[in-house]
Amino acid sequence: MNIPDQARVAHATLSPDKVMSKLVSLAKRRGFIFPSSEIYGGLSSCFDYGPLGSEMKKNVKDLWWTSMTRKHQNIVGIDASIMMNPTVWEASGHVSSFNDPMIDDRTTKRRYRADHLIENHIEKLRRDGREEDAHRVGASYERASEAENQNRAFYDIIITEEIKAPDTGSSDWTEVRQFNLMFQCNMGALADASGIVYLRPETAQGIFVNFHNVRESGRMRVPFGIAQIGKAFRNEIVKGNFIFRMVEFEQMEMQYFVKPGAQEEAFEAWREERFNWYVERLGIGQEKLHWYRHDKLAHYADLAYDIKFAFPFGIEEIEGIHSRTDFDLKQHQEFSGKNMEYIDQATNERYIPYVVETSAGCDRLFLALLCDAYNEDVVDGEQRVMLKFSPKIAPVKAAVLPLMKKGEMGEKAAGLRDALAGDFLVQYDDAGSIGKRYRRQDEIGTPFCVTVDHQTLEDETVTVRHRDTAAQERIGISKVKEFLYANLT
Ligand code: ATP
C-alpha cells in the first residue's frame, strides 16, 4: 500500500479501569451490543448484538470458519441441534460432573461459588501481609479440593475462617451444595422426568455423536477434523464483565480425530496454529496473548492449555486447547451400544481415535477485539475515539461522504455507494461537518472514508482517508472498489 503523508496524531494513555465503562457505553450507543430485553429491565448476563455488532460477529465467525474448514482439506463443518437425546449428557459426564460448589446466604438470598470465596480470602490474607495465614488456609483448601466430601470441607473452611460475602458482608451461610450448570427444560406435554432435555453446555458433543455420519458421508480418513459454530448454555452463577461470562454464548469448536499415539504431535501443531491465528489473522498484539497450562484437568482431558487475553479486568481465557483422549467416543460407545471404532483401510487396524479439541468463545473473542481496538488520540488538535479493528473484522468497511448534500456531489456519492454496496458494507453519511463525519466513522472502526468533493467534479478523483493515521490521498473514483479489495482482505 502506498502510505500517504500522516496527519498530526498524538496517542492518549488510558487508565485500564475506565476502558470497560467507556466500551460498554460505546457498544450500546453505536449499536454493537445492547442489554437483552432492556425495556423490561434486562436479564442478567444476556445481551443482544445490534446492527454493527451482528455484522462484526459474522465477520469473526466467517474468518474462523474459513481458517478452520476451507483452508484444511481434512476438516469439514456441521451444524448440530442444540437439544439432544439426554443420554448424551450422561455419557459425556455433564450430568454427574458439570458442577460448581455453591453456598447461599440465607439473609440476602444471594448465591456464591464456595471455592471462589476461599480463593479470594487467601488472596486478601496475602494482600494484608499475613503470609503465614494465607499459607495455612491455602493448604487446607488444597486438602479440601481433593477431599471425598468436598462440600463439607469447603463449608468448614468458610465457617472457621469467618469468611463473609464480598458484596454485603453477611455470613448467614447454608451448607455447600453442588450446582449443575446445565439448563434443564421439558420437551413435550409431560412435565415429569421422562421429558427432561438439556440446552447443550458445549457444542463438542454434537460433533462426537456425528463421528460416523460425517466420516462415512464425507469418506473422511483419520486424521480429520469436524468444526462447528453454535450456541452453548451454562447456568453461570458468577456473572459479570459485560459479555465475558454469559449464560448463552457462542462457541467455535473443532475436534480433530487422530490415531492413538499421534495426539501429542497434533496437540502441539494446533497450539501453534491457533495462537498464530489471533496474531496473524486478527491482528491482536502478541504481547496481549498468554499461554496457561492447566494443572487441574477436566474429567475428559490429559493435557490442556488456554490462550488468554489481557482484558482491562485481568488476563483471562478466550480459547481452550484440550487433549480429550478417546474419552468421549468411548463413553458414547458404552452408552449407545454403537461401535465407535475407526477401521484403517490401509492396515485394517481398528481403534477408537484420540481427539484434540480447539474451543474458542466467539463472544469473549468479540470482547477481546473491542478491548484491543479501543483507542483515544488527538488528531490535528481534536480529541477522537477510535476502534482500531483489523479491516477484516471491521463491521463497516468504508464510508462514502459527499462534501455537499445536494447536486452533482450528492449524486456522484450515491452512485459510488451503490457501486460498492454489493461487495462491501458501506455507510453513506451526508450530515454535519466532514470532521464530525470522520469522527463518527472512527468511533465504529471504519478503515476508510471516501469523500466526494469539488475536485471530484473536475477530475473524477476522490479523497480516501485512512482511519489510523488520518492521512489522506486522492485516487480515481473508478478505482475505489479495487482499492478496497486490495486493502481490506
Ligand atoms: P471458564 O473457566 O472461563 O468458565 P471454561 O474453561 O469453562 O471457561 P471451556 O469449557 O473450555 O471454558 O469453553 C471454551 C470456550 O468457551 C472458553 O475459552 C470461552 O471462550 C468460552 N466460554 C465458556 N464459558 C463461557 C461463558 N459463560 N460465556 C462466554 N464464553 C464462554
Side-chain angles (χ1 to χ4, degrees):
M1 184 181 8
N2 179 20
I3 305 281
D5 290 345
Q6 308 226 332
R8 282 179 292 125
V9 180
H11 291 273
T13 320
L14 290 167
S15 78
D17 50 327
K18 283 211 176 129
V19 175
M20 277 313 290
S21 63
K22 288 186 176 194
L23 268 179
V24 173
S25 103
L26 189 157
K28 178 165 178 229
R29 187 161 34 83
R30 299 308 308 272
F32 285 91
I33 297 165
F34 308 127
S36 157
S37 39
E38 194 186 8
I39 57 168
Y40 290 101
L43 182 65
S44 170
S45 279
C46 294
F47 293 91
D48 298 341
Y49 286 82
L52 294 185
S54 52
E55 278 290 340
M56 179 162 139
K57 197 175 188 199
K58 187 175 172 304
N59 292 343
V60 172
K61 289 195 280 186
D62 285 349
L63 204 61
W64 184 90
W65 189 259
T66 307
S67 311
M68 295 300 283
T69 65
R70 293 188 197 146
K71 294 220 162 143
H72 290 274
Q73 290 301 312
N74 64 344
I75 304 182
V76 290
I78 63 164
D79 183 7
S81 77
I82 285 170
M83 287 190 259
M84 304 169 78
N85 186 304
T87 316
V88 168
W89 306 108
E90 281 170 40
S92 68
H94 283 83
V95 171
S96 60
S97 313
F98 200 49
N99 299 319
D100 281 338
M102 308 304 301
I103 190 165
D104 292 11
D105 181 89
R106 285 194 199 89
T107 314
T108 61
K109 307 268 180 281
R110 289 185 185 219
R111 184 165 282 176
Y112 303 86
R113 284 270 299 262
D115 50 345
H116 286 181
L117 286 178
I118 302 171
E119 283 166 16
N120 292 343
H121 178 65
I122 298 170
E123 220 22 72
K124 182 168 183 309
L125 290 173
R126 241 180 229 125
R127 275 201 310 276
D128 294 348
R130 294 170 59 189
E131 199 50 53
E132 238 175 68
D133 287 331
H135 189 75
R136 177 180 50 78
V137 183
S140 334
Y141 178 50
E142 243 173 66
R143 278 196 302 278
S145 306
E146 301 300 324
E148 207 163 289
N149 192 346
Q150 191 196 65
N151 291 349
R152 181 76 216 175
F154 282 166
Y155 176 79
D156 287 346
I157 297 177
I158 290 170
I159 298 302
T160 319
E161 291 298 314
E162 297 178 1
I163 297 176
K164 295 186 171 44
D167 47 350
T168 64
S170 175
S171 58
D172 187 10
W173 297 121
T174 60
E175 295 288 295
V176 174
R177 278 170 298 203
Q178 289 297 321
F179 183 83
N180 196 288
L181 294 176
M182 281 199 295
F183 280 100
Q184 266 187 29
C185 41
N186 284 84
M187 195 176 214
L190 293 176
D192 64 11
S194 65
I196 287 180
V197 288
Y198 301 98
L199 299 184
R200 66 181 177 197
E202 62 175 25
T203 56
Q205 298 305 324
I207 292 179
F208 294 128
V209 297
N210 277 301
F211 171 69
H212 279 316
N213 284 338
V214 174
R215 182 194 57 72
E216 266 170 38
S217 60
R219 294 191 291 127
M220 309 300 289
R221 300 235 167 121
V222 168
F224 73 91
I226 306 177
Q228 173 166 224
I229 298 177
K231 290 249 171 160
F233 304 81
R234 295 182 187 177
N235 198 357
E236 305 267 13
I237 299 303
V238 181
K239 305 182 177 86
N241 279 332
F242 198 26
I243 55 169
F244 178 80
R245 192 173 294 286
M246 303 157 93
V247 292
E248 174 184 342
F249 55 98
E250 247 174 315
Q251 291 189 312
M252 307 187 290
E253 293 199 311
M254 192 278 301
Q255 312 293 327
Y256 197 68
F257 300 91
V258 300
K259 190 173 171 177
Q263 67 272 19
E264 264 175 52
E265 200 184 319
F267 190 86
E268 280 315 310
W270 279 112
R271 223 154 73 81
E272 193 180 332
E273 176 155 347
R274 292 305 304 149
F275 192 90
N276 291 344
W277 187 73
Y278 290 101
V279 180
E280 286 161 16
R281 304 289 296 159
L282 290 178
I284 296 181
Q286 198 161 331
E287 70 290 348
K288 293 191 188 151
L289 295 169
H290 300 263
W291 279 115
Y292 170 77
R293 187 189 162 131
H294 282 260
D295 297 325
K296 251 171 131 184
L297 293 165
H299 60 275
Y300 52 76
D302 68 353
L303 185 61
Y305 277 84
D306 291 341
I307 298 175
K308 295 193 172 201
F309 175 81
F311 289 98
F313 47 84
I315 297 175
E316 301 286 354
E317 170 180 348
I318 50 172
E319 169 159 353
I321 298 164
H322 310 126
S323 173
R324 287 185 85 124
T325 68
D326 55 359
F327 176 85
D328 299 274
L329 288 181
K330 254 194 181 150
Q331 289 290 104
H332 288 307
Q333 176 166 285
E334 189 185 324
F335 278 73
S336 69
K338 301 280 183 313
N339 189 341
M340 284 293 175
E341 281 178 329
Y342 172 78
I343 304 171
D344 189 317
Q345 305 282 331
T347 63
N348 258 339
E349 272 179 284
R350 305 168 80 94
Y351 54 81
I352 292 189
Y354 270 51
V355 171
V356 173
E357 164 184 78
T358 70
S359 175
C362 186
D363 312 271
R364 275 196 196 173
L365 174 54
F366 193 102
L367 182 57
L369 290 166
L370 275 181
C371 295
D372 190 46
Y374 190 84
N375 200 68
E376 285 179 9
D377 59 11
V378 178
V379 180
D380 289 339
E382 218 189 296
Q383 177 92 26
R384 73 166 172 170
V385 170
M386 165 174 59
L387 291 177
K388 213 171 167 179
F389 293 133
S390 145
K392 287 191 214 73
I393 55 140
V396 178
K397 305 300 186 192
V400 178
L401 317 172
L403 195 59
M404 286 159 74
K405 255 187 208 184
K406 293 193 179 127
E408 221 185 319
M409 266 186 229
E411 281 161 27
K412 273 212 179 310
L416 178 60
R417 173 201 58 200
D418 294 344
L420 298 175
D423 298 52
F424 306 102
L425 182 64
V426 290
Q427 271 191 0
Y428 183 87
D429 186 2
D430 60 9
S433 74
I434 202 78
K436 278 218 175 84
R437 287 185 256 170
Y438 284 158
R439 296 296 99 86
R440 279 203 284 270
Q441 294 301 327
D442 290 340
E443 205 185 34
I444 59 169
T446 307
F448 300 105
C449 287
V450 182
T451 307
V452 173
D453 54 20
H454 294 289
Q455 203 178 321
T456 314
L457 307 184
E458 285 161 24
D459 64 4
E460 293 285 317
T461 63
V462 288
T463 305
V464 175
R465 174 187 176 270
H466 296 239
R467 176 196 65 199
D468 299 355
T469 57
Q472 303 192 4
E473 64 181 314
R474 286 204 83 85
I475 63 170
I477 196 165
S478 61
K479 298 272 183 242
V480 174
K481 191 181 277 189
E482 206 177 297
F483 171 91
L484 291 179
Y485 269 114
N487 289 290
L488 289 173
T489 42

